Amino acid sequence: MLDVIASFVVLFGLAWLVRALVGARELTWPRVLLATAAGWGVGDFIALAMVSDFEHLAEVDYAQIQTVAFPFRLIAAMGAIVVLELLRSSQRRRTRRRRPIRAARNLGRVVVRAARVLIITLRHGLAPLLGLRRRDDITTRSPEELARRVRLALEDAGGMFVKLGQLLATRPDLLPPAALAELGRLHAGAAPLARDTVEELMAEEVGGPLDHVFERIDWDPIGSASIAQAHAARLADGREVVIKIQRPGLAGQVDVDLTIVMWLARMAARRTTWGKAYEVDVLAGEFADSLRGELDFRIEARNAIESGGSPRNPGVAVPAIIDDLTTSRLLVMERLRGVPLSNLPQPLPADVARRLADELCVSQVTAMLQGDRFHGDPHPGNVMVMDTGGVGLIDFGITGRLDAFERASVFQILVALRLEHPTLLYEAMVSMGAVGPAHDPGEIERAFAQFMTAYLGSGLPPPEALTDLMRLTTELHLHLPASTTTMFRALATLAGTLEQLSPGYPIIDVVAELGGSEFRERVAPDSMRDFVEQEFAKLAPLLSRAPRHFDRLATLAEHGRLTTRVRLFTDPDEVRILERLVNRFVLTLLSIGVGAVSVMMLGTEGGPVLEAADAPLLEILGWVGLTLAVILLLRVLLSVLRTE
């Protein structure tokens, strides 16, 4: 019994020593003990191989090999730790293994769903579009035919793939008009949920019996989509509302579909020229983030409250949110009485249509220019023609808001378009952070100049200029801020909606008019004098001090006292990275040097003999040095594996 306890004590002591030498304090003790036990066995095996020929093991005194086995135990244990780290990298370290059955079930769902999506892709002839065939040719069919096949494939796949198509239908900067029109035909309809299921879901979210909250609920849904189902209802206080309830198990379905979408996008980006050009993997990531945001109805409620609470939107109705009943999966809001613009039975009279178009355009453009919350997807289905004669907006899942810096950059873009100044437009993109070090400034300016020559002329730019500009930035791989991209997409969508509501509506003129004094001062030729005076007032203090600064610099240069100072590695993160690299380099050189000297000692004959060990001193020092060299090398290797 004492021998067993002593063995465990020695094992723990060796494990502690190995853990300290290899610098693996963050490793769990079970893993360290496992590696130490394995190293113990390997070290004893090597020691026995050195002192015996394995034919006379019974004659070997195990106590006599302890000294020989110790360094091999140490090195073998450290090597075992490195092997464990190699098998379980930092990415695997984060993998959830607490629920293997659920993980296996989810993996099975992804595989089955992916197989179905691939079959649908092949059936509709879209394999070259994803690079599933060697020939990367998607030009053999007309854009209309290709868009039709994509729409049919997305409808067959269902689920979140329909949402993907609907999102692409709002991206005129990515797709041609024919594709946008085809994808715009996608229906979000889904089979209605059973009444018992809806009642159970609502009661769970409300936290009690429904009749305590609602006087009446129309169980025939007024809308049933892939994400939620909507019902008309009346609260106990008599207010007419709409209840939007999320479908059960939706989060799991979204995770599965988004996993497949990201996989297909990475495949297209890796194997097709169009996928690389448009960076579809990045676009798929943006879609995934947007969709996950739509799953939390509290975000939509907050967006609606901010949009309806703006004093600059008095002419546009926004449904009031019943905040105390709204949860992440239940949204209760005021019911707007009206007809969606897309469902109008006949066109409105010209004067009424122009008035409603003015109210809608003024509210959204003013919100964009003044930094308020604006609707990110004002398509005809989200625009209501109210029974009271006004206009309303619904579905605030996608919205945007520009900060002061982005608004200034947008003003600069509009000024550049008005003045037909490609360099000014390029500078606006630089100020936004859209231009990276890999871009060619000359190429970008030439593209902007060609764009202005083709689309701009006397007067304000046409409405389609904004869409074409967004498409050009995509082709040039310019990465605009997300909110700015949302604004331009919303403007392009708004232009189409206004055209349907009031044909020939001059949206660009309204933008120029609502830009206020700042916009007019920048674009109106007769106010350039005021603009120059304002800019000179800002620069005058600097210019007045400039002669003194130049004189001081000239004096220092004349006396040879003009010096410069460059401060490298001022960022603490950069210093830490450099220190880590230098430490690894020095330890590697030290381990190689010690190892080389130790090998030379082992190969040297003669020299003094250590009587206590009855062995040459150089041989003993050589083995000690070789052990230290291996320990240093394993320590460096483990530190490299941790940062992968």
Side-chain angles (χ1 to χ4, degrees):
M1 185 64 181
L2 293 177
D3 293 339
V4 174
I5 296 176
S7 299
F8 274 107
V9 171
V10 173
L11 179 64
F12 272 96
L14 183 60
W16 177 85
L17 180 61
V18 168
R19 187 168 178 260
L21 289 175
V22 83
R25 292 182 176 84
E26 76 282 357
L27 297 181
T28 60
W29 274 105
R31 294 177 60 194
V32 176
L33 290 174
L34 176 63
T36 304
W40 189 305
V42 173
D44 287 355
F45 179 82
I46 296 175
L48 289 173
M50 294 182 64
V51 302
S52 173
D53 56 3
F54 291 99
E55 294 181 358
H56 305 85
L57 290 178
E59 302 175 2
V60 177
D61 187 358
Y62 186 73
Q64 295 179 355
I65 69 170
Q66 297 297 313
T67 305
V68 178
F70 179 77
F72 295 107
R73 291 173 182 171
L74 197 63
I75 295 175
M78 295 176 63
I81 289 179
V82 173
V83 170
L84 289 178
E85 287 298 302
L86 185 63
L87 295 177
R88 185 176 180 178
S89 62
S90 58
Q91 294 178 352
R92 294 179 182 176
R93 203 178 301 158
R94 299 191 185 101
T95 303
R96 297 180 180 178
R97 299 183 177 180
R98 296 180 179 179
R99 300 177 179 177
I101 298 178
R102 176 176 296 183
R105 184 166 59 248
N106 292 338
L107 178 61
R109 292 177 60 192
V110 172
V111 171
V112 173
R113 178 69 165 152
R116 181 172 178 267
V117 171
L118 285 177
I119 293 173
I120 293 173
T121 302
L122 296 174
R123 187 170 66 242
H124 289 279
L126 300 177
L129 193 66
L130 298 175
L132 296 177
R133 295 179 183 173
R134 290 186 177 180
R135 60 184 183 93
D136 182 14
D137 185 11
I138 60 173
T139 62
T140 56
R141 302 185 181 92
S142 65
E144 294 80 5
E145 173 65 15
L146 185 61
R148 187 184 68 85
R149 288 176 176 269
V150 171
R151 176 181 63 82
L152 294 176
L154 292 175
E155 286 181 346
D156 288 349
M160 297 305 107
F161 289 91
V162 174
K163 293 290 296 183
L164 172 61
Q166 292 172 339
L167 181 65
L168 290 175
T170 66
R171 297 298 300 267
D173 56 314
L174 298 177
L175 301 177
L180 296 176
E182 189 67 38
L183 292 177
R185 299 172 56 189
L186 282 169
H187 299 290
L193 297 172
R195 174 174 173 174
D196 294 342
T197 303
V198 175
E199 284 192 71
E200 182 179 353
L201 292 173
M202 288 184 180
E204 180 180 352
E205 295 301 318
V206 171
L210 296 179
D211 54 5
H212 291 178
V213 179
F214 300 100
E215 177 183 323
R216 174 184 55 81
I217 298 178
D218 295 336
W219 296 111
D220 292 331
I222 57 178
S224 183
S226 56
I227 289 182
Q229 183 167 297
H231 292 263
R234 179 184 296 145
L235 294 176
D237 58 10
R239 286 179 292 175
E240 297 289 338
V241 296
V242 172
I243 307 173
K244 187 176 178 181
I245 184 68
Q246 191 175 116
R247 289 181 171 271
L250 186 64
Q253 179 186 353
V254 168
D255 289 340
V256 171
D257 283 357
L258 290 184
T259 300
I260 299 171
V261 168
M262 293 300 300
W263 171 59
L264 294 176
R266 286 191 293 266
M267 181 189 301
R270 185 175 63 254
R271 305 182 64 173
T272 65
T273 55
W274 74 271
K276 296 176 184 177
Y278 285 93
E279 298 180 335
V280 293
D281 51 342
V282 178
L283 295 175
E286 295 177 359
F287 164 71
D289 294 338
S290 175
L291 183 56
R292 289 193 173 97
E294 289 189 45
L295 295 183
D296 191 347
F297 289 166
R298 292 171 298 187
I299 298 177
E300 180 178 348
R302 184 171 63 250
N303 294 339
I305 292 173
E306 292 183 6
S307 300
S310 173
R312 300 185 180 96
N313 297 338
V316 176
V318 175
I321 301 299
I322 314 301
D323 195 50
D324 56 341
L325 296 179
T326 297
T327 66
S328 61
R329 297 189 299 172
L330 182 72
L331 178 61
V332 183
M333 54 187 167
E334 174 192 7
R335 184 178 185 182
L336 298 184
R337 293 292 184 176
V339 180
L341 180 60
S342 57
N343 295 340
L344 280 180
Q346 58 185 4
L348 297 172
D351 57 337
V352 176
R354 179 57 186 263
R355 177 178 59 81
L356 295 180
D358 283 337
E359 293 177 356
L360 177 62
C361 185
V362 168
S363 68
Q364 296 307 294
V365 173
T366 303
M368 295 174 184
L369 297 179
Q370 299 297 330
D372 292 334
R373 179 75 58 181
F374 59 87
H375 202 295
D377 189 20
H379 63 77
N382 288 336
V383 177
M384 302 282 292
V385 178
M386 306 290 290
D387 294 344
T388 57
V391 63
L393 285 173
I394 59 174
D395 193 358
F396 288 84
I398 301 177
T399 62
R401 189 173 187 177
L402 301 180
D403 58 29
F405 181 80
E406 291 170 335
R407 294 200 303 275
S409 299
V410 169
F411 272 120
Q412 192 173 353
I413 290 175
L414 297 176
V415 169
L417 292 176
R418 175 63 181 88
L419 299 180
E420 300 185 40
H421 201 308
T423 302
L424 185 59
L425 183 56
Y426 170 77
E427 293 298 331
M429 295 296 173
V430 172
S431 65
M432 279 187 175
V435 180
H439 291 100
D440 182 3
E443 178 185 355
I444 296 175
E445 288 193 31
R446 285 192 299 271
F448 285 159
Q450 295 172 359
F451 161 78
M452 292 179 177
T453 302
Y455 293 96
L456 305 182
S458 59
L460 292 171
E464 58 269 18
L466 295 176
T467 300
D468 295 330
L469 177 60
M470 287 298 297
R471 186 176 290 113
L472 179 60
T473 59
T474 302
E475 294 173 355
L476 294 174
H477 306 291
L478 301 178
H479 301 284
L480 299 177
S483 54
T484 305
T485 304
T486 302
M487 187 210 73
F488 279 110
R489 289 205 314 263
L491 271 179
T493 305
L494 181 63
T497 300
L498 294 173
E499 181 66 23
Q500 179 176 336
L501 178 60
S502 179
Y505 187 82
I507 182 175
I508 297 297
D509 293 285
V510 176
V511 172
E513 180 65 25
L514 295 175
S517 59
E518 180 180 359
F519 184 82
R520 289 194 297 272
E521 287 172 0
R522 291 177 180 268
V523 300
D526 57 353
S527 63
M528 290 303 296
R529 176 180 176 181
D530 296 336
F531 173 73
V532 172
E533 290 178 353
Q534 290 180 3
E535 293 300 318
F536 180 77
K538 299 176 184 177
L539 294 175
L542 299 178
L543 295 176
S544 64
R545 293 193 298 267
R548 293 195 300 272
H549 292 320
F550 284 123
D551 179 68
R552 185 177 303 171
L553 290 174
T555 302
L556 292 175
E558 182 179 0
H559 293 84
R561 292 185 297 169
L562 183 62
T563 60
T564 59
R565 178 184 299 175
V566 179
R567 299 180 63 186
L568 299 177
F569 303 106
T570 57
D571 189 353
D573 292 335
E574 294 180 356
V575 174
R576 283 193 293 269
I577 293 174
L578 182 62
E579 288 179 347
R580 189 182 303 121
L581 292 176
V582 171
N583 290 340
R584 291 177 182 174
F585 181 72
V586 171
L587 285 177
T588 303
L589 287 182
L590 185 60
S591 64
I592 294 175
V594 172
V597 173
S598 301
V599 171
M600 293 174 59
M601 288 183 177
L602 291 175
T604 302
E605 298 181 357
V609 177
L610 189 63
E611 297 181 358
D614 192 20
L617 179 61
L618 292 179
E619 182 177 352
I620 295 175
L621 294 177
W623 282 112
V624 172
L626 191 60
T627 302
L628 293 177
V630 174
I631 291 174
L632 291 176
L633 192 60
L634 290 176
R635 187 183 180 97
V636 173
L637 182 58
L638 184 62
S639 66
V640 172
L641 291 176
R642 286 188 199 137
T643 57
E644 288 184 351

